[in-house]
Amino acid sequence: MISKAIFDKGCRACPRLATFLDEVQQRYPDYYCGPVPPFGAPDARFLIVGLAPGMHGANRSGRPFTGDHAGILLYQMLHKYGFGNRDQSESVDDGLVLSDCRITNAVKCLPPDNKPVGAEINTCNSFLANELDSLPEQSVVLALGGIAHRAIIKALGERQVEFPFAHAAVHDLGQFRLLDSYHCSRYNTNTRRLTEAMFDAIFATAREMLDKS
Ligand code: URA
């Protein structure tokens, strides 16, 4: 039976990831080291989908994009465009509250070398499918990077060739609109594949889409 759950704290469905988390927990006993739950209200109309927890970020703190470089620009933009009451996410008890926004990951567990394999993306995909299914009407989903984008298309059972990933592309998927961005990773921002201005424009688009709907 397919579960309608959007998250399972005790999930060990991917043997490689579960074993890796056990090892990392030994090395860093005070790290969270488990499937990282989505952050934000269940009825939010703006869903941001990242790739997977980072070793010293979400895997340490237990909140997506919290504690490593990838979250810096993301939380700044959320604050600038009225989706967050603070411009930084430091820990699960820092008082940050998101408004009409939730952040999740295509893969909920930390993968070795930040790279989930296809089978892990597929195994975790039912959680994402259920999360997408629970979105209110007129929602906007922001995919951070091609892997998140393709996980979303897969979760909907749509054909990848009909919805190719491209930075700043908007795809009408019926139940919601999908907006694409390059991932806000340290690599992408350092190499300026994703500049602050480019990311700002993505959030301006999302804000406008939500305000008009
Ligand atoms: N942290 C996350 O939670 N997700 C990412 O995709 C990157 C860092």
Side-chain angles (χ1 to χ4, degrees):
M1 195 186 87
I2 295 172
S3 152
K4 293 303 281 178
I6 67 164
F7 177 70
D8 175 5
K9 170 87 175 77
C11 184
R12 293 183 64 88
C14 300
R16 187 183 77 119
L17 299 187
T19 309
F20 183 56
L21 281 180
D22 291 344
E23 285 165 20
V24 175
Q25 183 85 83
Q26 295 281 320
R27 236 185 302 155
Y28 300 102
D30 57 340
Y31 277 25
Y32 173 84
C33 290
V36 174
F39 171 47
D43 60 349
R45 292 178 308 149
F46 186 28
L47 180 69
I48 300 175
V49 184
L51 169 55
M55 169 72 95
H56 304 294
N59 179 63
R60 176 168 61 85
S61 63
R63 181 193 279 172
F65 289 93
T66 298
D68 59 8
H69 186 88
I72 296 175
L73 204 50
L74 175 61
Y75 284 103
Q76 276 172 14
M77 290 302 159
L78 289 173
H79 180 251
K80 176 171 178 182
Y81 285 95
F83 296 108
N85 65 340
R86 304 172 83 240
D87 66 0
Q88 284 180 47
S89 178
E90 287 160 306
S91 65
V92 288
D93 53 7
D94 62 3
L96 173 62
V97 178
L98 299 183
S99 307
D100 204 15
C101 174
R102 187 169 67 248
I103 307 176
T104 195
N105 279 309
V107 174
K108 307 291 187 274
C109 294
L110 168 74
D113 301 320
N114 289 327
K115 286 195 190 84
V117 298
E120 292 157 355
I121 297 169
N122 293 346
T123 299
C124 214
N125 204 244
S126 64
F127 292 123
L128 184 62
N130 292 339
E131 194 163 14
L132 295 171
D133 204 35
S134 74
L135 286 171
E137 279 178 26
Q138 314 278 353
S139 289
V140 173
V141 177
L142 171 60
L144 295 179
I147 294 178
H149 168 98
R150 286 186 287 279
I152 292 163
I153 300 299
K154 181 179 173 57
L156 297 177
E158 296 286 354
R159 281 162 49 83
Q160 301 287 350
V161 286
E162 284 174 21
F163 301 98
F165 173 82
H167 179 78
V170 178
H171 309 271
D172 188 350
L173 287 163
Q175 61 259 59
F176 58 79
R177 279 166 296 168
L178 172 62
L179 172 60
D180 287 341
S181 171
Y182 291 137
H183 192 283
C184 47
S185 64
R186 184 193 290 270
Y187 180 82
N188 282 348
T189 52
N190 280 355
T191 57
R192 299 186 65 74
R193 181 175 176 82
L194 180 70
T195 64
E196 185 171 335
M198 287 164 70
F199 210 40
D200 192 306
I202 292 288
F203 281 82
T205 301
R207 182 81 266 175
E208 197 184 346
M209 286 162 74
L210 289 162
D211 286 351
K212 280 192 182 152
S213 61

